[in-house]
Amino acid sequence: MDYFKQLAELLKMEQAEDKQAYRELTERSSVAERRAAGLCWYPIVIKDTEIGRGDYLTVEVERPGHQDVLHQFRFGASAALFSQHDAGNHRVEGVVTFQGGNTLRLSLRVDELPDWTRDGKLGVDLLFDDNSYTEMFSALRLAPTLDEKTAKGRLIRILTGERFPTFHTAEKDAAISNSLNPSQQAAVNKILAANELAIVHGPPGTGKTTTLVQAIKAIIGREGGPILVTAPSNTAVDLLSEKLSDEGLNVLRIGNPARVSERLMSLTLDSRMAEHTATKEVKKLKKQASAFRDMAHKYKRNFGQAEREQRKALFNEARNIMKEVERTEQYILDDLLARAQVITATLVGANHYTVRNLSFRTVVIDEAGQALEPASWIPILKAEKLVLAGDHCQLPPTVKSSEADRKGLTVTLMEKCVSLHPEAVILLEEQYRMHATIMGYSAAVFYEQKLKAHPSVAGHKLYAGDKPFIFVDTAGCGYDEKTEGVSTSNPEEAVFLFRHLTQFTGELQTHSPDAELPRVAVISPYRQQVELLKEQLQNSPLLKIYGDRIAVNTIDSFQGQERDVVYISMTRSNASSKIGFLSDIRRMNVAMTRARKKLVVIGDSATLSQSAFYAGLIQYAEEKGAWQSAWELAEG
C-alpha cells in the first residue's frame, strides 16, 4: 500500500534529522555538557550485577551527585556504560531495563564486566534512540501485509480510508457510572457499539480520562479482557494506569512510570514479578548460576587445556541454569499477563518483548492528537477494534524535520480519521475548567459552538466584578520585538506584563486580604521571551514573595495542565505584521484553555490582526467589554 510507503518516507526524513541533531549535540560536547542536556549520568557507581534474560549481564548503577539534573533516560532506551579514563575505547552498549529516581538498570551485551569498570570515573551515555524508529518502521512494513479478510486487516483498511466503520445497536445502553454527564455517557455507548473504530474528541476540561476509564470498565464487563491501553507519553500512561487501578481493575504497567510513586510502582511488571510465588525459585537458580560463573572467572588467562575445559564446563553449567531461569520467568510472565484485565504501555512500549506476540480485541490510544502516526501503528497492529481519544485541535506531535512536517508527518491518525469517519466521532460537550467567557472564543473557532461550560464553572471568578478575560492591546506603545538568530523576544512587553500582574495582585489583596494568591501561569510561545519573563520575575520583589505560585514557561510545556490565572505574552510586534509560528492557532487554543478564572492576553493588535484568527479574538474581546489599551496602564 502506497499509504504506508509514504509514511515510511516521511519517517526516514525525521530519523535523519533526529540523528543529525543528536550527533551535533553529543560529538563535540564534554561530559558536563551532555549531563546538562540530560544525555549523560556522570559520575555513577555500580551497585549490583546479575545475569539477566538472554544471557546478558544486568548492571544496576546509581548517580550519587546531580540528583536534581533532569535527564532523558527512559525504559527501553539504548545506553552505553563508559569510563572517562578512555571514553573512546572503554565503553559497552546496552538497553535501559529500569529507570527510577537516581537508579538505572542496564542490560549489557557481555558475559562479565570489563576490567576497566573497577577503575572508577564511570558514566552512562544515552545513545540515539534507534529502537523507537526500528519499531515504527517494522509496524509500517507489517501493516499492508495483513489479510483484509481478518478483523485486523479490516481495521487497517478502515483507518486508511478504504472502508467504513460499522456499529451494532447495543441491546441496551451500558450501566455506567452515574457521575458521567450525557455526552460522556454517549461516548461510552458509542465505544461499546463500535465494531472497529470509535473516536472520543475531548476538548480541554471535558473529563476525557474519566470517560475513557468508565468505557474500559464497561468493555471488560461486557467482553472481558485484557485490553491494551496506550498513550504517546509515560505521564499519560501513568494517569490512566492509576485511575483504572482505582476502579478495582487488575492493571499491569509495561515499562517504568515517569512518576516514581509507590502506587504506580506496584502496578509494574517488575514489581508484580518480584511478588510472584515462583520468584523465590528464580533467585535460588540465579545464585547457583552466579556461583558457577564466579568459579569459572577464577581461572586466569594463563592456564592449560584441562583448566580451559573446566572453565568451559562451568560456563555451560551456568548457561543451563539460566535457561531454567528463563523458563520459570516466562511461566511467571504468562501467569501475570493471563490475569491482567488491562495492560498499559507507551506506543513504542506496546511492542516490548513481554507483549510482542499478544493480540487484543480492543486497543485504546489516549492523547491520540499528540501521537506520531507511525508510532500509533505499533499498538494498532495488535487490535481488532480501536478507540482513539484526544483533541486534534490542540498541539500536534513534535517533528524535528521541517520537510517531513511540511509533507504531513505532524498530521495524526486521529485527525485523518475524524475527517474520514465523522460517524465514529463523539464530542465531549461539557467542560469543567473555564469561565464561559474564557471558553467562548475557542468554542466558536475549534468546537463548532458545541462546547458548554458546566454551571459549576460557567461564572466562577476570583472576586465579584473581576473580568475573566482581558485582551491588553500594546499597539502604538513602541514595544517592538527583538530578533536574534531564530529567537524572538519583546523586552518592553515582558516588563509591562509584570507591571500588570503586580497591579492585579494588589487588586486581589484589596478584595481578599487573607486569601492565598491563586496559581498563575505566565506563558509565551517563544523560548527567548520565556527566558526574559523568568528574569523579570526574579527582578520583581513584589511578585517574588509568592514563590512557586507563579510559574513561567512555554505554551507547549503547559499542555494538559490548568491554572486559575493565565497571562499570555504574544511577543510579536513589527511593522510588517509577521507573526511566525503564532499562525499555528492550535498552540493558541492550548494557551487560552489553560485558564480557569482569568485569562489576560497581551499583544499588539496592529501586528496580530492581519491573521483572521487573531482579528476574531480581538473582536471577541471588544464584544465582551474585555479590550483594554496598554496606554491606560503605561501612563498610570
Side-chain angles (χ1 to χ4, degrees), residues 246-434:
D246 286 345
E247 288 290 323
L249 295 171
N250 183 344
V251 178
L252 188 60
R253 168 75 159 98
I254 304 295
N256 297 132
R259 278 189 298 112
V260 186
S261 72
E262 222 173 289
R263 181 68 207 284
L264 272 167
M265 282 301 180
S266 69
L267 305 177
T268 62
L269 187 58
D270 275 0
S271 171
R272 294 283 171 88
M273 286 188 87
E275 289 165 8
H276 199 279
T277 49
T279 297
K280 274 184 188 163
E281 178 63 17
V282 168
K283 281 183 176 166
K284 197 172 86 184
L285 288 167
K286 279 186 177 177
K287 216 171 181 180
Q288 286 174 11
S290 267
F292 280 116
R293 277 173 181 267
D294 289 346
M295 282 156 68
H297 290 149
K298 281 181 184 141
Y299 290 97
K300 296 298 173 196
R301 284 176 185 80
N302 302 321
F303 48 73
Q305 182 65 31
E307 286 87 353
R308 195 173 287 112
E309 289 298 325
Q310 183 62 17
R311 179 182 160 103
K312 194 177 164 188
L314 288 165
F315 270 130
N316 281 339
E317 192 54 44
R319 277 199 187 91
N320 290 336
I321 294 170
M322 285 311 294
K323 278 179 188 157
E324 186 56 37
V325 166
E326 276 192 33
R327 278 194 291 273
T328 311
E329 283 184 333
Q330 192 61 48
Y331 158 74
I332 296 171
L333 179 61
D334 292 344
D335 186 41
L336 291 172
L337 291 169
R339 285 189 281 147
Q341 292 172 296
V342 183
I343 293 169
T344 61
T346 58
L347 300 173
V348 175
N351 218 22
H352 185 246
Y353 77 87
T354 52
V355 290
R356 189 176 288 274
N357 300 317
L358 295 187
S359 289
F360 300 85
R361 166 76 186 109
T362 304
V363 166
V364 176
I365 301 179
D366 190 19
E367 301 296 0
Q370 279 79 57
L372 199 65
E373 183 178 351
S376 299
W377 284 102
I378 298 168
I380 290 170
L381 296 184
K382 299 174 178 298
E384 296 177 5
K385 167 175 165 174
L386 177 66
V387 178
L388 295 172
D391 183 9
H392 55 289
C393 301
Q394 292 188 61
L395 283 170
T398 304
V399 167
K400 293 188 174 88
S401 161
S402 51
E403 190 183 356
D405 181 359
R406 203 172 55 251
K407 291 185 172 174
L409 190 58
T410 45
V411 181
T412 61
L413 185 63
M414 178 173 180
E415 200 174 337
K416 291 177 185 177
C417 287
V418 165
S419 132
L420 281 171
H421 304 302
E423 69 278 22
V425 182
I426 188 127
L427 176 73
L428 300 180
E429 295 176 357
E430 197 162 29
Q431 63 84 16
Y432 297 81
R433 176 183 296 167
M434 296 163 273

Side-chain angles (χ1 to χ4, degrees), residues 436-480:
T437 308
I438 295 172
M439 175 202 77
Y441 190 61
S442 279
V445 175
F446 296 100
Y447 307 112
E448 302 171 0
Q449 288 288 23
K450 289 178 181 168
L451 195 58
K452 303 285 177 279
H454 186 266
S456 64
V457 300
H460 66 178
K461 294 181 182 180
L462 291 162
Y463 59 84
D466 184 36
K467 287 188 171 177
F469 170 51
I470 304 168
F471 181 89
V472 186
D473 194 347
T474 64
C477 291
Y479 297 170
D480 294 336

